Amino acid sequence: MIQLMSVHFDHFIPNWRTQMEKIGHNVLVLVTEGKVRYDINGSEVVAERGELLYIPKSTRRSGENWAGTPHQKYTVLFNLDCELPTGVPFLDRKQFLRFRLAHFPYAQRRCERLYEEMRGSKSFRELICLGIVQELFGILSRELEKPEVTPMKMKYAQTVRQYLLEHYREPIEIGQLARLIRRSPNYTTALFKEVFGQSPIRYMHQLRVLEACNLLLNSDMTIASISQYLGYYDTSYFFRIFKKYSSMSPGEFIARGRPSDLSQLFS
């Protein structure tokens, strides 16, 4: 049984530091920007953006900004019923874990939603928060089952991903991405799927739809203008893509007007 205690969001806190102590709870840390240094049972651990740490109860732990530079992270504190197995392998082993998430953007949005829910007082808050935490445990457990990606493969995949993040509004073809890493188009697609769970082109469309959602809610641009801005010169095609990834039309999304729905676009 998981007992959620609290969720914290450290947003570039100057001189952040936590003293060495034997912690009386379990901790899940997702670093979203910068680096953070921990002492875990006498060993130095420097975690950076995209990495998740599981620090089990009774660990001797201290923490501080790495090299004096502030960082950003979500921290989830929780307890477990020690008498019963959870069915989550990394929790039941009760060992420190450090892992780089392939689906980091989605996990970050779920942590953001968890933090918002924990600070609110809406009905069924505890049920929703427990569901989000269980989902995060499931995502991590599933990724831990996969064969480890080699550093070179991760470097290639990150190179392609960074290019997509910077150029998603432009026309992009697989051959173009393949040339970035000097590999074949088939290899590039397979590699990206292995690391991020989807093809580069699908990821590009998701980035466009996410930006479309932001513009629909926070700008006075027309749907046709947004379509052109995002590189969809056929508005009807933009409508089809938007509905494919959001399960609703642009007009329906505007009518609902709930930014929290954005987390469902990347699953």
Side-chain angles (χ1 to χ4, degrees):
M1 181 67 179
I2 300 168
Q3 299 173 338
L4 187 59
M5 298 170 58
S6 60
V7 179
H8 304 281
F9 178 52
D10 297 333
H11 183 62
F12 301 115
I13 301 173
N15 303 314
W16 178 85
R17 183 186 302 271
T18 182
Q19 65 182 5
M20 175 63 76
E21 61 178 345
K22 185 178 181 180
I23 57 176
H25 46 263
N26 300 279
V27 182
L28 200 68
V29 178
L30 181 66
V31 183
T32 55
E33 292 292 344
K35 297 181 180 180
V36 57
R37 178 193 176 278
Y38 285 101
D39 185 308
I40 304 292
N41 291 330
S43 298
E44 182 184 55
V45 175
V46 178
E48 59 186 36
R49 171 183 165 85
E51 291 189 320
L52 188 144
L53 306 179
Y54 167 59
I55 309 174
K57 183 178 179 179
S58 299
T59 298
R60 287 191 57 79
R61 174 226 62 188
S62 67
E64 62 184 354
N65 285 331
W66 180 79
T69 304
H71 65 276
Q72 188 182 75
K73 70 178 183 298
Y74 288 94
T75 308
V76 181
L77 278 57
F78 63 97
N79 278 320
L80 300 169
D81 187 334
C82 298
E83 302 300 322
L84 299 173
T86 65
V88 180
F90 76 89
L91 293 179
D92 291 337
R93 283 194 293 268
K94 298 182 174 66
Q95 297 176 342
F96 171 75
L97 173 68
R98 175 185 179 185
F99 188 76
R100 177 171 292 280
L101 287 168
H103 293 83
F104 164 64
Y106 182 75
Q108 181 178 0
R109 284 190 292 276
R110 300 312 285 150
C111 285
E112 180 181 356
R113 176 69 185 275
L114 177 62
Y115 177 70
E116 292 173 353
E117 286 288 344
M118 285 292 290
R119 296 181 70 198
S121 58
K122 295 181 180 180
S123 58
F124 303 107
R125 184 191 71 171
E126 292 183 7
L127 184 63
I128 291 172
C129 289
L130 179 60
I132 295 173
V133 169
Q134 289 176 326
E135 181 187 9
L136 289 169
F137 290 163
I139 290 170
L140 179 56
S141 298
R142 180 180 291 172
E143 292 200 13
L144 286 168
E145 287 182 343
K146 297 179 181 178
E148 185 176 355
V149 177
T150 66
M152 185 57 69
K153 282 187 174 182
M154 181 61 72
K155 179 181 178 181
Y156 286 155
Q158 293 286 6
T159 297
V160 173
R161 180 175 177 270
Q162 188 61 39
Y163 184 87
L164 291 170
L165 286 169
E166 294 174 358
H167 301 275
Y168 66 91
R169 290 173 48 212
E170 303 170 12
I172 293 175
E173 297 180 354
I174 289 296
Q176 177 183 357
L177 300 175
R179 287 191 290 274
L180 287 174
I181 59 174
R182 299 181 180 179
R183 292 295 184 272
S184 72
N186 287 342
Y187 178 89
T188 302
T189 299
L191 170 66
F192 199 88
K193 281 185 176 180
E194 179 182 351
V195 176
F196 296 114
Q198 59 188 315
S199 72
I201 298 304
R202 180 181 177 86
Y203 182 69
M204 176 200 71
H205 285 306
Q206 287 183 334
L207 291 174
R208 289 180 174 185
V209 170
L210 186 62
E211 179 63 10
C213 290
N214 175 56
L215 295 171
L216 288 168
L217 293 174
N218 302 301
S219 79
D220 57 1
M221 293 175 67
T222 66
I223 293 175
S225 296
I226 292 173
S227 173
Q228 293 278 326
Y229 176 77
L230 294 173
Y232 297 117
Y233 300 109
D234 181 345
T235 305
S236 63
Y237 180 64
F238 168 67
F239 268 77
R240 291 198 298 274
I241 290 293
F242 189 94
K243 191 160 189 176
K244 178 179 180 180
Y245 291 101
S246 69
S247 300
M248 65 187 86
S249 70
E252 290 170 336
F253 180 81
I254 293 171
R256 292 191 183 189
R258 292 200 299 269
S260 59
D261 288 342
L262 298 185
S263 63
Q264 302 303 318
L265 298 178
F266 291 78
S267 58

